[in-house]
Amino acid sequence: MTIDISQFFQVFFDEAEELLAEKERLLLAVDIAAPDAEDLNAIFRTAHSIKGGASTFGLSDMSEVTHILESLLDRIRQGQMALTAEHVDAFLAAKDILKMQLDGHRLGSAVDQDAVANVRMMLQSFSQDVPVAALTPVAPAFHTAEKAAVSHAGGQRYRLELPKMEEREVEALAAELGLLGDVAVSTLADARKVLEVTTHESLDDILAICSFVLNPDDMVITQAPPLAPGEAAAARAAQEKAQGYGFFDPLPAAPGAADPGYGFFQPIEDIRAAAGVQSDAEQGYGFFQPLEQIRADAAKAGNTGVPAVASAATEVEQEKKPAKKEGEKAGTESSSIRVSIEKVDQLINLVGELVITQAMIEQRASALDPMLHEKLLDSVGHLTRNTRDLQEAVMSIRMMPMDFVFSRFPRMVRDLATKLGKKVDFITNGAATELDKGLIERIVDPLTHLVRNSIDHGVEMPAARVAAGKTEAGRLFLSASHQGGNIIIEVSDDGAGLNRERILAKAQQQGLDVSETMSDAEVWQLIFAPGFSTAEAVTDVSGRGVGMDVVKRNISAMGGVVDIRSAKGFGTTISISLPLTLAILDGMSIRVGDEVYILPLGFVIESLQPAVEDIKDIAGRGQVVKVRGEYLPLIPLYQMFDITPRFTSPSEGICVILETEGRKAALFVDDLVGQQQVVVKNLESNYRKVVGISGATILGDGGVSLILDVAALIRSSRQLAEESIFS
């Protein structure tokens, strides 16, 4: 009998990725001098569980690596071998290899077989107590731009047709993509640029870099055919002969050998025999279909869901769980299930529609006589409360702990600090703080840039720190906390701090409008200017001026705000404020003429009606309003959107004081309607992008109201008051 197990593949992929992440976390936290026995057992269990799952699904490449890894870990946990820093480096490299193999099976991405062979040989050498050279990380977080072109022979080739961009941006993007592989730049007839990238990295890695410079949706991406087999083979042979993989000289192959293993690797059959691993043909797994057939059947079936199955991580989870209480049923079901994100999004959309419908009913019911319709109004009140509870419960499904983001950084900090010759203690706080899943995914790249900059520019070299009276190891903090309806994420270091004079000098050199009278807060904001960098040399870590401006742009697109605090010699803190979710927001309804708009409440400081003498005209710059000794630019909303207002003088209407990106402005409107929660609808997907508008919502009366983009409105306040942003 043949069993179709293709439906369980996704479960294994998800659980294997979780186990690999857990393994990395444990390895980074282990005390090499005095490792805890339970930590060693937990690391062993992750390898054992991955091996079991991989063997079950016929993924022999992963099972072979984990078998060698498991054997070595078993010797260490049994006390037969002492744990060393070299072991930890090798285990982390093995984790990278397993992740690459996992992505190869799940996504079809390229797998560097040379790197796999190197790590396997390294693990075998350790298990045989043979000294080996220091291991170069297999998939380091940061690559050198000077990689020889031959190293990418046989890699995937992607053709990226870019939209019209400035030459500087194209050059910067090509330089960043050059860290992943070889990049060739050409020009189309309409002057647009084309980048052809040859790399062993995945398309997701390419898109992650591109997203910092442009919207990936604006590119046309096609996959070019790989290098011809003859070209790839010749390049690979030349590389092997010249490099010997970095630490071995190639040996001549034995005469007549079918597979010499480049002169120093054992044939795979011998390695399997020595490790006690059966070949695929010998294993056969007894009753499973061939892997290729399983994948083909899975593709035809087009599975839309994943059934509940026994977890590959059962052994790990069982040892973590406390013993069952007496009387508890042995067959108690799991406390969680896997649900696709599409189903969660559909549920949230339906609840959003329910909230809108409930608001309509409530508004219509408010016009009824409470004496004649007491029971109906009471039922509407119950519906309102239940709808709010349901809305909060459903929204909590999309909330994920910040640990999903924080867990990515210990390895990156460790690798980058080692690369730069620095010592960094990485400390996190508030990992349990929850944020919407959509924002979790979008905040990873901005935080990565901020953390890298803190290590590269903030934390000093050990000798410089000691000379300044500090400890050799710098401290890097990453924290998250709730503050009202927002989440505050901070990246803080105890390094050298920002250099005000150096930033001003660089800004003047680049032609930015600066002065010595600028406050520190205004000077710090200059580092977010496009192309701004104070690095003395361009490296593969930083120095090109690409990143900080895009960091701010991406955070602003999420409705967030970036703030910088720094003291020279004491360190720098970059604070990011984000809304908890983008699906529903607290807003203030404002009226201009016959139109009602929604202002996100997080940007509102106060509202007031100014006196006539507090309003001043600035020649050629519009009007300003004096608020407690501070002059703020006045933004007449009716002029921005070309509508007829009830009042044309701010002294007759209302001024709403707004603040974002460290700047304030007064928004002139006719009236305030009230505060309410609104369900955000994406305007771009239903219509098109509109300047000054971030989205739309449906009011209780069924009318559509536009949600204002506060950042765009404040930026436009520098224009003439009579000039419309739509002209």
Side-chain angles (χ1 to χ4, degrees):
M1 180 181 67
T2 300
I3 299 177
D4 178 16
I5 62 169
S6 60
Q7 56 187 325
F8 305 140
F9 260 89
Q10 189 57 47
V11 175
F12 166 73
F13 291 150
D14 291 342
E15 292 179 349
E17 188 158 13
E18 292 170 4
L19 288 167
L20 288 173
E22 175 69 5
K23 176 189 171 186
E24 181 176 271
R25 185 189 68 79
L26 291 167
L27 286 170
L28 293 173
V30 70
D31 183 355
I32 297 176
D36 183 75
E38 181 51 39
D39 288 342
L40 294 178
N41 286 332
I43 296 171
F44 172 83
R45 288 193 297 267
T46 60
H48 181 71
S49 298
I50 295 172
K51 173 191 169 185
S55 298
T56 299
F57 290 99
L59 308 180
S60 57
D61 55 345
M62 294 184 66
S63 63
E64 288 168 1
V65 174
T66 49
H67 179 82
I68 304 171
L69 179 63
E70 178 189 46
S71 301
L72 183 55
L73 285 167
D74 191 44
R75 291 186 61 187
I76 294 175
R77 72 168 185 159
Q78 296 292 343
Q80 301 172 9
M81 180 184 293
L83 180 68
T84 66
E86 289 76 16
H87 284 136
V88 173
D89 288 339
F91 297 157
L92 288 171
K95 176 264 173 184
D96 292 336
I97 286 295
L98 289 168
K99 179 66 167 64
M100 179 170 58
Q101 291 175 327
L102 184 68
D103 290 342
H105 291 297
R106 177 170 52 179
L107 307 174
S109 56
V111 176
D112 187 345
Q113 297 300 335
D114 293 340
V116 175
N118 281 348
V119 168
R120 285 179 51 178
M121 183 194 61
M122 177 68 68
L123 295 174
Q124 283 188 325
S125 300
F126 275 124
S127 64
Q128 297 168 9
D129 296 324
V130 177
V132 293
L135 178 66
T136 301
V138 175
F142 312 99
H143 306 269
T144 57
E146 295 78 10
K147 280 186 176 182
V150 71
S151 65
H152 303 287
Q156 298 295 324
R157 300 171 65 196
Y158 298 99
R159 186 176 186 273
L160 314 179
E161 288 188 20
L162 305 180
K164 288 190 176 180
M165 299 169 57
E166 295 182 6
E167 188 70 24
R168 178 187 63 81
E169 292 181 331
V170 175
E171 292 175 356
L173 178 58
E176 291 292 324
L177 290 174
L179 304 180
L180 299 183
D182 302 324
V183 180
V185 183
S186 58
T187 306
L188 297 175
D190 59 359
R192 290 186 298 119
K193 299 293 184 180
V194 174
L195 303 183
E196 186 175 285
V197 184
T198 304
T199 178
H200 287 294
E201 307 297 335
S202 68
L203 181 58
D204 289 340
D205 293 327
I206 295 176
L207 293 178
I209 289 180
C210 293
S211 64
F212 278 93
V213 182
L214 75 164
N215 186 346
D217 293 337
D218 295 337
M219 297 189 300
V220 178
I221 304 175
T222 55
Q223 186 167 350
L227 294 174
E231 296 174 347
R236 186 181 298 275
Q239 182 186 27
E240 290 161 1
K241 183 176 180 181
Q243 297 181 356
Y245 294 110
F247 47 89
F248 287 110
D249 291 328
L251 300 177
D259 183 5
Y262 303 116
F264 55 90
F265 287 124
Q266 292 176 305
I268 187 66
E269 292 78 8
D270 294 346
I271 294 176
R272 284 173 170 167
V277 179
Q278 293 177 315
S279 67
D280 296 343
E282 290 171 335
Q283 289 179 359
Y285 305 111
F287 51 90
F288 292 128
Q289 293 173 310
L291 182 58
E292 293 74 11
Q293 183 62 40
I294 290 174
R295 287 175 176 156
D297 293 344
K300 292 177 182 178
N303 294 322
T304 57
V306 179
V309 297
S311 168
T314 300
E315 183 176 349
V316 177
E317 296 299 324
Q318 288 298 328
E319 296 200 28
K320 289 182 181 178
K321 293 179 182 177
K324 293 183 179 180
K325 296 180 181 179
E326 187 176 352
E328 186 178 352
K329 292 184 179 180
T332 303
E333 294 182 358
S334 172
S335 59
S336 64
I337 59 173
R338 293 183 183 271
V339 178
S340 67
I341 192 63
E342 290 79 10
K343 291 183 178 180
V344 175
D345 288 340
Q346 183 183 14
L347 181 60
I348 290 175
N349 288 335
L350 290 173
V351 170
E353 296 298 329
L354 178 61
V355 170
I356 294 171
T357 304
Q358 173 267 325
M360 292 179 179
I361 294 174
E362 190 174 25
Q363 182 163 331
R364 284 163 174 73
S366 63
L368 299 176
D369 189 329
M371 298 299 294
L372 298 177
H373 304 89
E374 179 181 0
K375 292 185 177 180
L376 176 60
L377 294 176
D378 186 51
S379 299
V380 171
H382 280 295
L383 175 63
T384 301
R385 290 189 294 272
N386 291 338
T387 302
R388 174 59 65 90
D389 292 342
L390 177 62
Q391 171 194 317
E392 293 177 355
V394 171
M395 291 305 301
S396 68
I397 297 176
R398 275 189 63 96
M399 304 299 282
M400 298 175 64
M402 284 298 296
D403 187 51
F404 280 86
V405 177
F406 288 3
S407 62
R408 300 168 183 253
F409 292 109
R411 174 74 182 281
M412 189 194 79
V413 172
R414 175 185 185 272
D415 290 346
L416 182 56
T418 302
K419 180 184 182 70
L420 298 175
K422 299 181 178 181
K423 297 181 179 180
V424 180
D425 293 331
F426 184 58
I427 304 166
T428 62
N429 185 35
T433 306
E434 292 187 332
L435 183 65
D436 185 272
K437 182 182 184 298
L439 293 175
I440 284 273
E441 294 170 347
R442 295 168 63 182
I443 197 61
V444 170
D445 287 339
L447 280 182
T448 299
H449 271 265
L450 296 180
V451 169
R452 291 175 66 177
N453 279 353
S454 289
I455 299 173
D456 190 27
H457 298 298
V459 178
E460 311 97 325
M461 298 295 289
R465 290 184 60 85
V466 171
K470 301 180 181 181
T471 59
E472 271 194 340
R475 293 195 296 174
L476 178 62
F477 300 88
L478 188 56
S479 64
S481 61
H482 283 150
Q483 191 177 93
N486 294 334
I487 183 173
I488 307 298
I489 305 171
E490 291 189 341
V491 179
S492 180
D493 65 69
D494 66 345
L498 297 179
N499 189 317
R500 175 187 172 94
E501 293 74 20
R502 191 173 177 185
I503 292 174
L504 283 174
K506 188 69 174 181
Q508 289 174 343
Q509 180 182 338
Q510 294 188 353
L512 299 179
D513 185 16
V514 297
S515 68
E516 294 293 338
T517 59
M518 295 174 65
S519 66
D520 283 347
E522 291 173 321
V523 173
W524 306 152
Q525 289 293 321
L526 292 174
I527 69 174
F528 293 112
F532 189 91
S533 175
T534 58
E536 296 179 356
V538 175
T539 68
D540 57 333
V541 178
S542 61
R544 293 186 176 88
V546 177
M548 293 303 287
D549 61 321
V550 187
V551 165
K552 185 171 183 178
R553 193 188 316 158
N554 288 354
I555 291 173
S556 298
M558 291 184 275
V561 178
V562 188
D563 180 56
I564 301 179
R565 305 186 300 276
S566 183
K568 191 173 182 179
F570 293 94
T572 302
T573 297
I574 299 182
S575 178
I576 301 171
S577 176
L578 291 173
L580 291 179
T581 178
L582 297 180
I584 294 178
L585 61 81
D586 290 310
M588 173 181 288
S589 303
I590 57 174
R591 188 185 304 277
V592 180
D594 296 329
E595 302 293 333
V596 175
Y597 297 95
I598 303 295
L599 268 174
L601 204 57
F603 298 108
V604 177
I605 299 178
E606 62 179 320
S607 57
L608 50 89
Q609 188 171 46
V612 175
E613 58 270 18
D614 290 333
I615 303 168
K616 306 293 183 182
D617 290 312
I618 305 297
R621 299 293 296 271
Q623 293 180 308
V624 295
V625 58
K626 185 178 181 181
V627 179
R628 286 187 288 279
E630 183 180 10
Y631 285 95
L632 305 178
L634 188 68
I635 307 174
L637 196 60
Y638 73 91
Q639 290 183 359
M640 309 294 286
F641 295 107
D642 194 23
I643 54 181
T644 304
R646 290 172 52 203
F647 308 114
T648 56
S649 171
S651 60
E652 299 175 317
I654 298 291
C655 285
V656 183
I657 310 302
L658 307 173
E659 181 177 16
T660 182
E661 301 178 358
R663 298 171 56 189
K664 294 181 180 179
L667 186 67
F668 169 37
V669 300
D670 288 342
D671 195 14
L672 303 181
V673 179
Q675 295 182 17
Q676 64 186 105
Q677 275 199 329
V678 296
V679 179
V680 180
K681 300 292 184 180
N682 189 298
L683 195 62
E684 293 183 42
S685 60
N686 295 289
Y687 176 52
R688 63 178 176 84
K689 183 174 180 59
V690 178
V691 180
I693 300 297
S694 62
T697 189
I698 301 176
L699 302 176
D701 60 1
V704 175
S705 180
L706 299 177
I707 302 171
L708 299 179
D709 184 344
V710 174
L713 290 176
I714 292 184
R715 283 195 297 268
S716 69
S717 65
R718 290 187 172 184
Q719 301 177 358
L720 298 177
E722 67 272 8
E723 185 177 326
S724 170
I725 62 176
F726 294 100
S727 60

